[in-house]
Amino acid sequence: MLWSTPVALVTGATGTQSFASQSIWYNGATWTLMSHNADNAAWPVERRTSTTSDIYSAYSAGSTVTPTPASGRKWWHSWAARQIDGSVIAIFQDNNGTTGASGRLYIGHSGDDGATWSRRRILGTGEDYYRSTLLLRRDGRADLIASV
C-alpha cells in the first residue's frame, strides 16, 4: 500500500483550536467535518463544511452543535458517519471533565447533516467506556464497538 503525503484540511492556532476525535462524511454536495475543540475549556463538538465538493477546498468556521452533554459532564470523544438514508449517526462518550477519563456512552442521530443532534444514553449506568465507535455495514446495520 502506498500512502500519499498528508494534507491539512483545516488548521487552528495552538492553545485555542484543536481538532480532536474527527469525523468526516460526504453529503452528496459538500464535506462535513465534526471534531471536538479540546483547547476550549468546554470541549465543544464543532461542525465545519467544505465550500465545494472537493475535500481539499476551504471549510467554514466551526460552529458548536448539539447535543449538549449531561449536567456536570463534557464530551470527550465521538465518531459519526452518514448512513445510506442521508441521516448521520454517532457514538458520543462523555466524562466528568477530567482529560482522558472514561465515561458514559450515548447514541446520537442527526437528520440535518450534523447541525443538530438527538442523543440517548446506552450501555447501562456504568462510566467505564473509552473511545468507542460504530462499525457501519453495507447492509445498513451498525455494530457498536465499546472499549472498556
Side-chain angles (χ1 to χ4, degrees):
M1 175 181 273
L2 213 32
W3 290 93
S4 62
T5 303
V7 176
L9 297 180
V10 290
T11 58
T14 303
T16 47
Q17 178 64 62
S18 69
F19 298 95
S21 297
Q22 308 94 358
S23 296
I24 191 165
W25 60 87
Y26 185 65
N27 65 18
T30 60
W31 291 88
T32 301
L33 171 70
M34 187 174 83
S35 63
H36 298 242
N37 184 355
D39 283 339
N40 178 312
W43 302 343
V45 178
E46 297 177 338
R47 176 182 178 267
R48 291 167 170 74
T49 55
S50 65
T51 55
T52 71
S53 62
D54 181 356
I55 194 170
Y56 300 114
S57 66
Y59 280 75
S60 64
S63 60
T64 300
V65 298
T66 64
T68 53
S71 178
R73 313 288 293 178
K74 294 182 180 181
W75 293 129
W76 176 248
H77 175 75
S78 65
W79 185 83
R82 189 170 187 263
Q83 299 185 101
I84 56 176
D85 69 356
S87 66
V88 182
I89 60 170
I91 187 81
F92 290 95
Q93 180 227 315
D94 74 0
N95 71 24
N96 62 5
T98 302
T99 301
S102 58
R104 304 169 184 160
L105 292 182
Y106 298 81
I107 190 79
H109 180 266
S110 175
D112 59 5
D113 199 43
T116 59
W117 294 86
S118 60
R119 69 167 164 85
R120 182 180 180 129
R121 188 168 171 196
I122 56 174
L123 295 179
T125 59
E127 295 192 15
D128 300 329
Y129 300 97
Y130 190 73
R131 295 195 178 182
S132 301
T133 191
L134 293 170
L135 171 65
L136 298 181
R137 298 181 183 196
R138 289 180 190 227
D139 64 6
R141 294 186 297 166
D143 292 324
L144 173 65
I145 302 170
S147 57
V148 182

